[in-house]
Amino acid sequence: MKETNYIFQGTTMDKELTLKIRISEAGAERYVENPRFTIQSLAKKLKIDSKDIFELFPNRSEILNYYYDSRILVYKEQIQMIDNYSDYSLSEKLSLLILTLFDLFHEHREYVLMTYKKKVLCSMSMHSFESQFKNEIKQIFHSDRNLSSGSSLLINRAFYYSLFQTFNGFFYFWSRDTSNNYENSTALIDKWASFVQEVFYTRIADKGLDLGKFLFYHSPLSQFIKR
């Protein structure tokens, strides 16, 4: 049976998922207080039984890792509550994704600044936050009907990787941003998103593809290749 999420009124999140998010957020808070906190102390903070935590997470590390996964889940829940989200432009969707994640990071900023590099950037294997972020980017681009036909050549695994690295660059900027309400970070991200939209909405890629085809079929190089 679906229950109302403790974070959002009218959410579609079920009881188990909201509890996992609640545990991960409390875990982030406990980590800032004491990086060696115990599951028992976390359960006391949440006023639940420790066995309820162990039923969802095998250990403390999984709780702390899940915090980052949960940011994507909360973001997805938020966009489901936007009636006209499908009408948003490419730049609006890209800005919304990144700015929402930073807003969510801000709620536990000290924990994020303490752990993002270790848990996400320098993880022994790809953190699920990275794969989920790339999936959200993929969904944004694949669902956009305004992309120029030639721009599809630019969208591949390397492109998604580059966008995640761009996000990490924004994170570095945001982590050091001292402007009021992170206005400089917001402006930077909005300008970047507008630039990306300009590249993918215009026919620059189409014209580049036409030029490439012409050069290939009509240049001396093409005759050499066909031999």
Side-chain angles (χ1 to χ4, degrees):
M1 178 179 178
K2 298 291 183 181
E3 296 192 10
T4 301
N5 182 11
Y6 79 101
I7 301 175
F8 303 113
Q9 183 178 4
T11 185
T12 59
M13 287 186 180
D14 60 31
K15 180 179 180 179
E16 181 176 303
L17 186 56
T18 57
L19 179 57
K20 289 184 69 175
I21 294 175
R22 183 183 172 201
I23 291 171
S24 71
E25 292 179 340
E29 294 170 1
R30 286 291 295 123
Y31 183 88
V32 172
E33 297 167 354
N34 176 14
R36 298 178 180 275
F37 74 89
T38 64
I39 296 293
Q40 288 71 24
S41 68
L42 179 60
K44 183 177 181 180
K45 177 182 179 68
L46 290 168
K47 298 181 180 180
I48 61 177
D49 197 302
S50 59
K51 70 179 181 62
D52 294 330
I53 297 179
F54 281 115
E55 287 178 356
L56 298 174
F57 297 101
N59 52 55
R60 195 170 59 99
S61 179
E62 290 298 316
I63 294 173
L64 297 174
N65 282 330
Y66 188 76
Y67 170 83
Y68 289 102
D69 297 340
S70 70
R71 302 307 88 185
I72 296 289
L73 295 175
V74 175
Y75 155 77
K76 293 172 70 172
E77 187 69 17
Q78 287 190 358
I79 64 173
Q80 288 182 14
M81 299 170 67
I82 301 175
D83 293 334
N84 63 333
Y85 175 77
S86 61
D87 297 328
Y88 280 21
S89 66
L90 179 64
S91 64
E92 289 172 330
K93 288 182 178 180
L94 290 174
S95 291
L96 181 62
L97 169 61
I98 297 175
L99 292 175
T100 298
L101 289 176
F102 285 157
D103 282 345
L104 295 171
F105 282 174
H106 177 68
E107 296 174 2
H108 302 90
R109 180 179 173 86
E110 191 171 353
Y111 170 76
V112 171
L113 296 183
M114 292 172 65
T115 64
Y116 184 81
K117 181 178 179 180
K118 177 181 178 181
K119 291 192 169 297
V120 179
L121 291 184
C122 300
S123 176
M124 295 296 293
S125 58
M126 181 188 297
H127 194 286
S128 54
F129 174 80
E130 177 179 346
S131 61
Q132 290 187 64
F133 178 87
K134 291 176 180 176
N135 286 337
E136 291 306 311
I137 290 290
K138 184 176 182 179
Q139 177 62 30
I140 288 172
F141 277 89
H142 282 215
S143 64
D144 197 309
R145 299 180 180 180
N146 295 315
L147 301 184
S148 63
S149 57
S151 67
S152 61
L153 297 175
L154 303 174
I155 303 175
N156 49 42
R157 291 178 62 184
F159 174 70
Y160 297 133
Y161 174 80
S162 70
L163 289 191
F164 181 68
Q165 295 307 315
T166 299
F167 175 81
N168 291 330
F170 289 146
F171 175 84
Y172 182 85
F173 187 93
W174 171 81
S175 68
R176 288 158 176 78
D177 188 358
T178 58
S179 62
N180 187 37
N181 294 322
Y182 307 107
E183 292 176 352
N184 289 340
S185 294
T186 300
L188 174 63
I189 292 165
D190 283 342
K191 290 179 184 298
W192 168 82
S194 296
F195 171 76
V196 172
Q197 176 172 297
E198 188 67 21
V199 171
F200 282 86
Y201 276 14
T202 63
R203 296 183 59 81
I204 293 175
D206 294 345
K207 293 182 181 298
L209 180 61
D210 289 340
L211 175 60
K213 288 180 178 179
F214 180 86
L215 292 175
F216 178 79
Y217 288 109
H218 297 282
S219 70
L221 177 61
S222 66
Q223 300 302 318
F224 176 78
I225 294 176
K226 292 176 182 178
R227 290 178 182 177

